[in-house]
Structure formats: C-alpha cells, structure tokens
Amino acid sequence: MTELTIEAVTAMIGRGRNHAESLGVAMTLAVVDRAGHLVAFARMDAALLATSDVALKKAKTAVLFDFPSEALWELCKPGGPAPGIEHTNGGLIPFSGGLPIHGDDGQLLGAIGVSGGRGAQDVEVANVAVGPGRP
Amino acid sequence: MTELTIEAVTAMIGRGRNHAESLGVAMTLAVVDRAGHLVAFARMDAALLATSDVALKKAKTAVLFDFPSEALWELCKPGGPAPGIEHTNGGLIPFSGGLPIHGDDGQLLGAIGVSGGRGAQDVEVANVAVGPGRP
Amino acid sequence: MTELTIEAVTAMIGRGRNHAESLGVAMTLAVVDRAGHLVAFARMDAALLATSDVALKKAKTAVLFDFPSEALWELCKPGGPAPGIEHTNGGLIPFSGGLPIHGDDGQLLGAIGVSGGRGAQDVEVANVAVGPGRP
Amino acid sequence: MTELTIEAVTAMIGRGRNHAESLGVAMTLAVVDRAGHLVAFARMDAALLATSDVALKKAKTAVLFDFPSEALWELCKPGGPAPGIEHTNGGLIPFSGGLPIHGDDGQLLGAIGVSGGRGAQDVEVANVAVGPGRP
C-alpha cells in the first residue's frame, strides 16, 4: 500500500468493527489521511457519543506527530517537556487508541483512531483494523 | 427499519459509493443519527476536500429540520422568513444533497448528506444510498 | 515539479513580492499544500491587516475546489446552485486572487492566495509567483 | 532595527531554515508582529504537521507577554498564580521555542516561534533566526 484508498480504509473499518464485536465492545473508528482529514468513520450501535470526538482526535494525534497517540503523554505529562501541547491543533489525545498507518516504504499514509473500550482494547482493535499489511 | 444501525448505514454508504462510481463522480457521503451526530462517513478517492464539510452539513441540515436540505432555501433566501438561519447550528446548507431518513412509521431516524457532483447527482446518489426501504 | 517544496514555495513568495513591489502595492501571499495546510506566508510592509485572512482563505478556496477562487462565485451567487457554500470549510472567498498550483502531470499540488491589490493585480501577482513552470 | 520589515523577517526565516537544516531537523517557523499577527511562516519539507500550530502559538505567546514562551510555565504550572492562562488568547504555549524580538532601544517588535526539534534545538534555531542584531 502506497496510498490510502477508500477501498482499503473501508476494509480497515470493517475488520475493526468485526473485532470490536468479537470483544463485545461498542466502538467508534475514524481514519484520517496524512493531512489529518477524515476519510472514513463508523460509530457502532450503542457506542457512547463521547467516543466520536475521541476517536477522531486520536487519529489526528497519531498522524500529526507520526506516533501512537499515547506517546503524546511523554510530552505533556507533569514534568514533561511540552505542557499543554494536547491543547494545540484543535485538541489532541494523549492516551492510547490512535495509530499512524505507514506504507510499504515506511512513509506516513494516515492514521486510525479507536475509542470505546479500555485502552488495550482500543489498541487491539486499531491494530486488527490496520491489518496484516502493517509493517 | 425502526432504528439506524451501523449495519444499515454501512450498507447505505456502500450503495451510494457504488452508484457514484457508476456515475463517474468522486463523492463524499455522511450519515448522521436523529440527533445530528455522525454515524458513518466515506470520502471517495479524488473527491474534492471541500466535499467533506459540505456533505456533513447537508446531513445535519436535513436532520435538524426533517426536510431535504434545499428546503432551507425557502427560509433563508432573500425575502424569506428566516434570513441567516443557514449560519445557525454551526453552519447549514440550503441546497440539495441532504435527505432525512425515515423509518417504517415515518419517524425520523437520521439523514444522509452527499457532495461532489452536480445537485441532481448528489440527490440521486443519496436516494440510491438510502435505498428501497425508504418510504 | 511533482511536489511542493519549501524551496519552491519560498521562491514563489519571493517572485510574488517582487512583482507586487513593481506594481507599488503592498500584498499578503499565502501558499497551502494540497490538503489546505499552510506552507509559507508573507505579509508585506504596509499591507492591510485584513489581507492576511483573505489571502489564506483564497488559497484554501483554490485548493479545496481545485479552481481559481473566483469560480466559487458561480456556485454561490444569487440564483447559483450552491448558496452559502462560501460559509463552509471555515470560510471561503468567491473572488479572485486564489489559484491552484498543478504539477507537471496536472495533479493538484497546492494553491496560492494573494490579497492587497485590485482583483486583477492579485491574480497577476499570483501568476507571476507560481511562475513559468505552471501549465 | 526599529521596525520588523518583511525584508528582515524573510531573512530571519531563511537563517532559521538554514540552521535547522544544519541540525538535520525539519521545523516550522513563524514570525508575528508586535500585535501578534502573522508576518511570515515557513514549514520545512517533512516537518510534522503538528508543528504549524505550535510554532504559531509559541510566537503569539512570546509577543503577548514579551517573554520567552517557556516563562508562561511559571504562571500556569501547578501552584502557579495564573492557572489556565495558557488557554486564553486562542491558546498559548508554555514551553520553549518562542522568543520576543526587540529593537535597538529594547522596544518589542514582534516574536518568532519555532517547532519541530527538541526544546533546546527550537530555541537555538530561534536565536540564530533572529540574528546578531538581537540585543
């Protein structure tokens, strides 16, 4: 994969939804392109409304910094080097559930954000969604 | 259908995308629930970035008033009874491409917004997306 | 040119500034990438403060629709098919001064927005800025 | 220097870019005038998108208070006298990379914000950018 296509992204969302269902957790999934613009989004039945904004901001966090969203915590935590950075760029999320999506050559293609479960569940669903092609 | 489910909404988006492809037009589709919150979203490859915000606002317009988005024009057009109403609710769209989605008993379930083609194409795709079950 | 680089964009801004000076008009120039994010910006001495937001929104308009900014007027003018579309995407500009920037294969690379002169002057400066490599 | 000119600011951005390149770090640089309005901006190739908003807010922080951006931390840190002040003025940045720019008589002319490297790198680039004329 060298470019995010709606075909590939729809498949990601589908895999993620299936896995979330297998975990018995209602989640929201968002995929953004490398510029942070939304490509696809799905809020599962019974997912809390709060998960919509959180999923989107996790995806944005992951793509804006090209790291898993929880890595932002190292920057903004008490005593960290960048206090308040989570309030930039329209609001970011310093906990897990956002993952950058890289292409075959390691280039940044976009990111996924998942919200609705416990942190480890969100990450698990994000990884399953992005799928086997992920480096 | 008495409730929008992610299953049904995903199928709507899929039908809409297929129909847009058959028209040879890259579009963005957004479906919101009866409260105006996003349920699912897809931006097709090569769809203009401008279509994202427009599709979402068409869907919001349709659900907030329970009418096709272009009906807002009657309210906000020069000489109309509600000048400026298109600037409320975070921004609304008074042209076509937004359709409310009703259940079997006519109750409002949500809305779809489509952007990317000419007005008639957007409406056609929205209708195909919502599908045969539409009253 | 197949990608906007800061080198190329800085040269664009420089050419534009020089041409604006030769016209005796203080202008603001903004260049955005294909996703609408700012790459470079320059406000000339004595340029009116109002030109900053206008230049940026002209560039955004041009890139979001892949057309010269004044083409938006055909959509939003009285009797046009998309009334109010200038209020989407955070605010757009339906008059001249914004130009998309295309690569050698015609692909969209970004856009420039120029504000400060009369419409024809803004367009002239934008064209000179983008330069001879422009298709 | 008694006034920020686009000539001087363009030279600052150029010096800063050159120094960032010599450090091997892709950065974004923003210069604002004494009123906090953008004068010039450059996002280097491969600079993280997150750096755009951060650089701009560092510059705003530095000019609004006439101190290096990290001095805001003394005001907003836990137990400090102005909790939440970093959320005023559209969002401020309480860590390093923003420097006020003063004229020959010490008067405030504007500020620069640099983002993309570690804190010390951002400050180093900001200092090189502002240049030898800095008091």
Side-chain angles (χ1 to χ4, degrees):
Chain A
M1 190 166 53
T2 60
E3 187 83 27
L4 280 189
T5 62
I6 184 63
E7 202 66 40
V9 169
T10 303
M12 286 180 195
I13 298 269
R15 280 194 298 269
R17 276 182 52 205
N18 286 343
H19 195 70
E21 272 164 27
S22 79
L23 296 176
V25 184
M27 292 181 169
T28 295
L29 303 93
V31 177
V32 298
D33 64 21
R34 68 166 63 86
H37 294 301
L38 191 61
V39 178
F41 177 96
R43 175 160 54 92
M44 293 170 63
D45 305 337
L48 291 170
L49 267 184
T51 60
S52 291
D53 192 46
V54 174
L56 187 53
K57 285 180 174 162
K58 284 179 177 178
K60 277 188 55 184
T61 301
V63 85
L64 287 172
F65 291 90
D66 194 6
F67 59 36
S69 54
E70 69 269 26
L72 191 68
W73 180 243
E74 295 305 311
L75 299 179
C76 70
K77 69 183 177 185
I85 199 165
E86 72 275 24
H87 301 304
T88 64
N89 289 283
L92 301 170
I93 300 277
F95 52 89
S96 63
L99 288 181
I101 303 171
H102 295 108
D104 300 330
D105 300 332
Q107 77 276 35
L108 184 65
L109 301 180
I112 187 167
V114 177
S115 175
R118 292 190 310 274
Q121 290 174 318
D122 291 344
V123 174
E124 185 178 321
V125 167
N127 268 308
V128 169
V130 175
R134 192 155 173 276
Chain B
M1 189 166 53
T2 60
E3 184 84 27
L4 279 189
T5 62
I6 185 63
E7 202 65 39
V9 169
T10 302
M12 287 180 194
I13 299 268
R15 280 193 299 268
R17 274 182 52 205
N18 285 343
H19 195 70
E21 271 164 28
S22 78
L23 296 175
V25 184
M27 292 181 168
T28 295
L29 303 94
V31 177
V32 299
D33 64 20
R34 69 166 62 87
H37 295 299
L38 191 61
V39 178
F41 177 96
R43 174 160 54 92
M44 291 170 64
D45 304 337
L48 289 172
L49 268 184
T51 60
S52 290
D53 192 47
V54 175
L56 186 54
K57 285 180 174 162
K58 284 179 177 177
K60 278 186 54 183
T61 301
V63 83
L64 288 172
F65 291 89
D66 194 6
F67 60 36
S69 53
E70 67 270 26
L72 189 69
W73 179 244
E74 295 307 311
L75 301 179
C76 70
K77 69 181 179 186
I85 197 164
E86 74 275 25
H87 301 305
T88 63
N89 290 282
L92 302 171
I93 301 275
F95 52 91
S96 63
L99 288 181
I101 303 170
H102 295 109
D104 301 330
D105 300 334
Q107 77 276 35
L108 182 65
L109 301 180
I112 187 168
V114 177
S115 176
R118 292 190 309 273
Q121 291 174 317
D122 290 345
V123 174
E124 184 179 322
V125 167
N127 269 308
V128 169
V130 176
R134 193 157 173 272
Chain C
M1 189 167 52
T2 60
E3 185 85 28
L4 281 188
T5 61
I6 183 64
E7 203 65 39
V9 169
T10 301
M12 286 181 195
I13 298 269
R15 280 193 299 268
R17 276 181 52 204
N18 285 343
H19 196 70
E21 271 164 28
S22 77
L23 296 176
V25 184
M27 292 183 168
T28 295
L29 303 93
V31 177
V32 299
D33 64 21
R34 68 167 62 86
H37 295 301
L38 191 61
V39 178
F41 177 96
R43 175 159 54 90
M44 291 170 64
D45 304 337
L48 290 171
L49 267 185
T51 60
S52 290
D53 192 45
V54 174
L56 186 53
K57 285 180 174 163
K58 284 180 178 178
K60 277 188 56 184
T61 301
V63 85
L64 288 171
F65 291 89
D66 194 6
F67 59 36
S69 54
E70 68 270 26
L72 190 69
W73 179 244
E74 294 307 310
L75 300 179
C76 70
K77 69 182 177 185
I85 199 166
E86 74 275 24
H87 301 304
T88 64
N89 289 283
L92 301 170
I93 300 276
F95 52 89
S96 63
L99 288 181
I101 303 169
H102 295 109
D104 300 329
D105 300 333
Q107 77 276 34
L108 183 65
L109 300 180
I112 188 168
V114 177
S115 176
R118 293 189 309 273
Q121 291 174 316
D122 291 344
V123 174
E124 184 178 323
V125 167
N127 269 308
V128 169
V130 175
R134 192 155 172 273
Chain D
M1 190 166 51
T2 60
E3 186 82 27
L4 279 189
T5 61
I6 185 62
E7 202 65 39
V9 169
T10 302
M12 286 181 194
I13 298 269
R15 280 193 299 268
R17 275 182 54 204
N18 285 344
H19 196 68
E21 271 165 29
S22 77
L23 296 176
V25 183
M27 293 181 168
T28 296
L29 303 94
V31 177
V32 299
D33 64 20
R34 68 166 62 87
H37 295 299
L38 191 61
V39 178
F41 177 96
R43 174 160 54 92
M44 292 170 64
D45 305 336
L48 289 172
L49 269 184
T51 60
S52 291
D53 192 47
V54 174
L56 187 53
K57 286 180 173 162
K58 284 178 176 178
K60 278 186 54 184
T61 301
V63 84
L64 287 172
F65 292 90
D66 193 6
F67 59 36
S69 53
E70 68 269 27
L72 190 69
W73 178 245
E74 295 306 310
L75 300 179
C76 70
K77 69 181 179 185
I85 197 165
E86 74 275 24
H87 302 304
T88 64
N89 291 282
L92 301 171
I93 299 277
F95 51 90
S96 62
L99 289 181
I101 303 170
H102 295 108
D104 300 329
D105 301 334
Q107 77 277 36
L108 182 65
L109 301 180
I112 187 168
V114 177
S115 175
R118 294 190 308 274
Q121 290 174 317
D122 291 344
V123 174
E124 183 178 323
V125 167
N127 269 307
V128 169
V130 175
R134 193 157 172 272

